[in-house]
């Protein structure tokens, strides 16, 4: 007879492992099912030719919710903070980024009037009460904050950098600005990539008795009558659980629930981007470590300047990234050319030093573009099926990215523990 678990967690990414670690503190039997052959989800790091490649540029906010929860779980996060300096590219010209006091003083991007206004706008970002922005889009907030087109472009750029969202007219100001505030407090690039976090969470879960199974895709979730679930896996294997935490994307969840599900997911759009991850034996221009384009949604950063990302500390591991608009149709070849040309501008002749690279034209960075009114929709998902809990970077009303994944996972675990006590 199939074993019945107290909690079955679908997905072995950040959210799945954070939930498992909290639940493991109680006397509950826990099973994590991961469809991939490796755990980690989008927080995994691949070792390619002895270089550590995160799935695109990953930075952990030092003062964010995720960091606080990881600390609570005694997870170490070795790494260093990148400097906020670097260059901004505008119509083939490069300017110092006005994100540090010296950048602000020296940049030719802004005239003196704009420099003073930009300094005031940054103070406003840090001090704004984001709870008052629930009914605003990011675009509306930016336009209300400054009339200067230059400064508006800088705010959009920082918004992209902090949240990967490239749709200011659709995105919620509350979420974008609150993440921006957190990111301005500093981020970390992690030694050996985000796998460092996953490995520790995984090992702690195993030691606490959590059962983790890879290569197990859940095909179907069937709520049973007595407050429990039957999960059907590939090869029609069956697993039973009293509670289920689902950390997959919303559409995968809908698919697993089948026609019976009336979750209001249709409105949700993912946040996507293209990533070009590269390792070079050396940087053609060692002084250029960070760049963004003002008018095009492009990013470049040398992560290995701050984090240990290859066996040979001399190698340079970097990410070039394009933020996709949610309604855009992607032409992979065009996007690759765009990223390579941007890299050529910043690091001319980089191809001569290439060790290895990886191009992913379309990757989901966050499962949900945060929009006005999402709170209500998520609340009704939460109440959808008793005993089924959702977690993941789309499942929190207040946070996205790792902050959303980790905080919604802790919340799901706490909700189950509360239910068990009552
Ligand atoms: C390019 C890029 C850059 C990013 N940069 C940052 C950053 O700088 N800062 C930040 O905070 N966040 C960043 N993120 C986001 C962060 O990586 C994610 O938010 C986080 O890893 C999501 O974790 P999760 O557990 O919610 O989802 P996932 O990692 O997607 O985990 C879900 C897991 O469920 C598994 N699964 C799916 N369906 C099934 C099924 N049917 N059966 C069994 N298993 C299933 C999947 O294989 C996956 O392992 C970035 C992401 C990307 C892609």
């Amino acid at each position: 007879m199939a074993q019945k678990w107290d909690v079955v967690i679908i997905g072995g990414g950040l959210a799945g492992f954070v939930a498992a670690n909290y639940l493991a503190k109680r006397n509950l039997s826990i099973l994590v099912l991961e469809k991939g052959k490796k755990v980690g989800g989008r927080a995994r790091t691949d070792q390619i030719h002895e270089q550590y490649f995160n799935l695109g540029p990953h930075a952990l906010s030092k003062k964010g919710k995720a960091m606080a929860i990881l600390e609570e779980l005694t997870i170490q996060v070795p790494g260093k903070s990148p400097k906020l300096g670097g260059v901004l590219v505008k119509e083939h010209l490069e300017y110092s980024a006005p994100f540090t006091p010296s950048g602000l003083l020296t940049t030719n991007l802004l005239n003196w009037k704009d420099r003073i206004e930009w300094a005031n706008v940054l103070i406003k970002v840090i001090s704004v009460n984001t709870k008052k922005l629930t009914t605003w889009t990011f675009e509306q907030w930016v336009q209300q904050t400054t009339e200067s087109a230059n400064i508006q472009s800088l705010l959009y750029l920082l918004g992209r950098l902090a949240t990967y969202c490239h749709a200011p007219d659709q995105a919620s100001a509350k979420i974008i600005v609150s993440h921006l505030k957190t990111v301005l407090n500093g981020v970390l690039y992690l030694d050996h990539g985000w796998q460092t976090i996953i490995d520790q969470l995984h090992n702690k879960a195993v030691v606490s008795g959590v059962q983790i199974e890879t290569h197990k895709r859940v095909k179907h979730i069937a709520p049973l009558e007595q407050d429990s679930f039957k999960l059907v896996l590939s090869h029609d294997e069956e697993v039973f659980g009293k509670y289920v935490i689902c950390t997959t994307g919303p559409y995968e969840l809908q698919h697993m629930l089948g026609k019976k599900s009336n979750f209001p997911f249709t409105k949700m759009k993912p946040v996507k981007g293209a990533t070009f991850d590269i390792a070079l034996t050396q940087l053609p221009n060692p002084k250029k470590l960070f760049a963004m384009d003002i008018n095009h949604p492009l990013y470049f950063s040398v992560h290995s300047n701050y984090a240990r990302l290859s066996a040979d500390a001399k190698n340079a591991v970097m990410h070039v990234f394009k933020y996709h608009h949610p309604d855009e149709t992607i032409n992979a070849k065009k996007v690759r050319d765009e990223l390579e040309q941007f890299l050529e501008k910043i690091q001319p002749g980089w191809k001569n030093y290439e060790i290895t690279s990886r191009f992913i034209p379309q990757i989901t960075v966050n499962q949900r573009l945060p929009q006005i009114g999402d709170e209500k929709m998520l609340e009704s998902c939460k109440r959808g099926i008793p005993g089924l809990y959702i977690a993941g970077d789309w499942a929190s009303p207040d946070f996205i990215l790792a902050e959303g994944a980790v905080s919604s996972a802790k919340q799901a675990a706490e909700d189950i523990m509360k239910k068990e006590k009552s």
Side-chain angles (χ1 to χ4, degrees):
M1 250 215 321
Q3 181 180 353
K4 183 173 166 188
W5 299 85
D6 289 320
V7 188
V8 180
I9 299 173
I10 309 174
L14 261 185
F17 281 126
V18 165
N21 273 276
Y22 275 103
L23 289 164
K25 294 179 180 179
R26 301 298 153 101
N27 197 18
L28 297 169
S29 58
I30 304 155
L31 172 67
V32 176
L33 296 169
E34 166 55 49
K35 73 174 177 186
K37 66 171 189 242
K38 272 168 67 180
V39 295
R42 281 167 288 148
R44 74 163 203 269
T45 307
D46 295 314
Q47 276 191 59
I48 305 176
H49 295 112
E50 294 180 26
Q51 318 301 313
Y52 292 85
F53 280 176
N54 281 327
L55 278 176
H58 272 75
L60 183 67
S61 289
K62 279 158 79 175
K63 302 277 183 210
K65 194 80 184 158
M67 181 67 106
I69 291 174
L70 292 172
E71 273 172 7
E72 207 169 78
L73 292 170
T74 66
I75 302 300
Q76 309 289 321
V77 283
K80 285 207 185 85
S81 295
K83 295 202 182 94
L84 248 186
V87 295
L88 298 185
V89 178
K90 189 178 180 187
E91 286 144 21
H92 303 290
L93 293 176
E94 289 179 6
Y95 302 89
S96 303
F99 302 147
T100 58
S102 70
L104 185 62
L105 286 174
T106 55
T107 189
N108 292 323
L109 181 68
L110 304 172
N111 61 30
W112 274 104
K113 184 170 165 275
D114 272 354
R115 285 186 211 192
I116 293 165
E117 189 172 349
W118 177 235
N120 286 329
V121 164
L122 283 179
I123 293 168
K124 193 165 175 185
V125 171
I126 292 162
S127 54
V128 65
N129 178 356
T130 50
K131 287 198 184 113
K132 294 195 174 151
L133 304 180
T134 5
T135 57
W136 296 57
T137 64
F138 185 50
E139 183 179 66
Q140 285 167 334
W141 181 79
V142 167
Q143 287 178 354
Q144 185 270 344
T145 301
T146 174
E147 283 179 3
S148 156
N150 261 344
I151 293 181
Q152 287 181 357
S153 309
L154 284 175
L155 278 173
Y156 291 137
L157 178 143
L158 276 188
R160 288 196 291 273
L161 178 65
T163 65
Y164 294 80
C165 298
H166 177 44
D169 56 326
Q170 299 180 28
S172 140
K174 181 184 142 205
I175 303 292
I176 307 295
V177 180
S178 72
H179 275 260
L180 183 47
K181 281 171 81 154
T182 310
V183 165
L184 287 175
N185 278 313
V187 297
L188 281 179
Y189 292 165
L190 301 188
D191 290 343
H192 302 116
W194 279 35
Q195 193 72 39
T196 306
I197 304 177
I198 293 293
D199 288 348
Q200 292 175 71
L201 286 169
H202 173 271
N203 294 347
K204 277 180 193 285
V206 170
V207 168
S208 310
V210 175
Q211 173 98 10
I212 297 158
E213 295 191 15
T214 52
H215 267 309
K216 299 275 174 171
R217 175 196 288 271
V218 178
K219 279 198 316 193
H220 186 53
I221 306 172
L224 301 176
E225 268 166 20
Q226 324 83 336
D227 215 6
S228 63
F229 296 86
K230 178 171 89 174
L231 280 72
V232 183
L233 317 188
S234 2
H235 310 299
D236 293 334
E237 194 181 335
E238 290 180 351
V239 166
F240 294 85
K242 185 171 173 194
Y243 305 103
V244 170
I245 299 181
C246 182
T247 73
T248 71
Y251 294 105
E252 283 157 308
L253 171 58
Q254 194 168 39
H255 188 73
M256 288 185 281
L257 287 169
K259 285 195 185 113
K260 271 181 244 151
S261 119
N262 52 1
F263 282 89
F265 290 147
T266 37
K267 231 180 91 218
M268 251 187 260
K269 297 179 185 184
V271 175
K272 293 193 176 195
T275 186
F276 187 38
D277 311 323
I278 317 124
L280 305 180
T281 50
Q282 65 175 79
L283 286 173
N285 189 342
K287 287 200 175 136
K288 296 246 180 86
L289 299 171
F290 177 84
M292 285 184 82
D293 194 301
I294 297 189
N295 295 332
H296 303 98
L298 300 170
Y299 160 105
F300 159 86
S301 181
V302 183
H303 283 230
S304 60
N305 199 55
Y306 306 97
R308 206 178 169 84
L309 292 170
S310 59
D312 186 339
K314 278 189 254 156
N315 294 346
V317 176
M318 66 210 73
H319 300 279
V320 192
F321 189 82
K322 179 169 187 198
Y323 307 86
H324 289 324
H325 187 278
D327 304 326
E328 182 179 352
T329 311
I330 309 303
N331 175 331
K333 160 99 181 53
K334 233 173 114 187
V335 173
R336 186 179 181 131
D337 288 348
E338 214 176 334
L339 292 178
E340 288 200 5
Q341 279 161 21
F342 188 56
L343 180 56
E344 186 63 31
K345 216 181 273 178
I346 312 297
Q347 295 290 342
W350 61 273
K351 275 193 180 147
N352 298 329
Y353 305 101
E354 184 174 346
I355 301 169
T356 184
S357 65
R358 170 177 68 185
F359 170 63
I360 307 174
Q362 228 185 134
I363 184 163
T364 296
V365 178
N366 202 77
Q367 298 275 11
R368 179 186 115 245
L369 175 76
Q371 289 178 274
I372 296 168
D374 280 356
E375 289 88 349
K376 261 194 197 152
M377 184 251 303
L378 290 170
E379 192 49 43
S380 76
C381 289
K382 236 177 145 179
R383 282 187 273 107
I385 298 176
L388 173 66
Y389 295 82
I390 54 168
D393 57 14
W394 61 279
S396 160
D398 301 315
F399 306 101
I400 55 170
L401 302 169
E403 315 295 332
V406 167
S407 55
S408 60
K410 179 180 176 186
Q411 185 65 51
E414 281 179 348
D415 288 348
I416 289 178
M417 293 189 287
K418 210 153 83 209
K419 188 99 192 290
E420 276 292 281
K421 263 194 194 163
S422 62

